[in-house]
Amino acid sequence: MSVDIATVEKIASLARIAITEEEAARIAPELDNIMGWIEQLGEVDTSSVEPMTAVIPNHLRLRDDVVTDGNVRDAVLSNAPQAEHGFFTVPKVIE
């Protein structure tokens, strides 16, 4: 795929980037080289490569699901302006 100045200007317009003609002329060969590298990657045979999420094996470290700060309901409700039956009491709101 060949990237010309018109393509660079269209990409810049779609990305809402203001560029001059000189900048577009300077960027066009760079983008053309990048597209060439991408085409080279497409030529590599990856049919025997297993899909992976990382280069090194990652194992998720899980911890036990243990409650560490439980049984503090009364202490929490002692800070509430109003509480009834172990719950916060709030004014009734009707619109």
Side-chain angles (χ1 to χ4, degrees):
M1 176 179 180
S2 177
V3 179
D4 57 355
I5 295 174
T7 306
V8 172
E9 289 174 347
K10 181 173 181 173
I11 293 169
S13 172
L14 292 172
R16 307 263 195 253
I17 299 172
I19 61 170
T20 62
E21 292 229 2
E22 294 82 24
E23 291 173 329
R26 184 177 47 85
I27 293 172
E30 292 178 19
L31 287 177
D32 196 36
N33 286 338
I34 292 170
M35 295 303 291
W37 294 333
I38 293 172
E39 288 174 3
Q40 285 180 2
L41 288 175
E43 296 172 1
V44 177
D45 180 25
T46 58
S47 60
S48 62
V49 178
E50 290 290 324
M52 59 183 172
T53 58
V55 178
I56 58 173
N58 291 328
H59 301 286
L60 186 59
R61 295 180 198 98
L62 299 177
R63 62 175 174 81
D64 292 334
D65 190 13
V66 178
V67 177
T68 57
D69 60 348
N71 299 325
V72 293
R73 180 183 70 177
D74 295 332
V76 171
L77 289 176
S78 68
N79 294 324
Q82 290 181 328
E84 288 183 17
H85 310 292
F87 298 100
F88 289 100
T89 304
V90 294
K92 187 174 187 180
V93 178
I94 299 176
E95 292 185 21

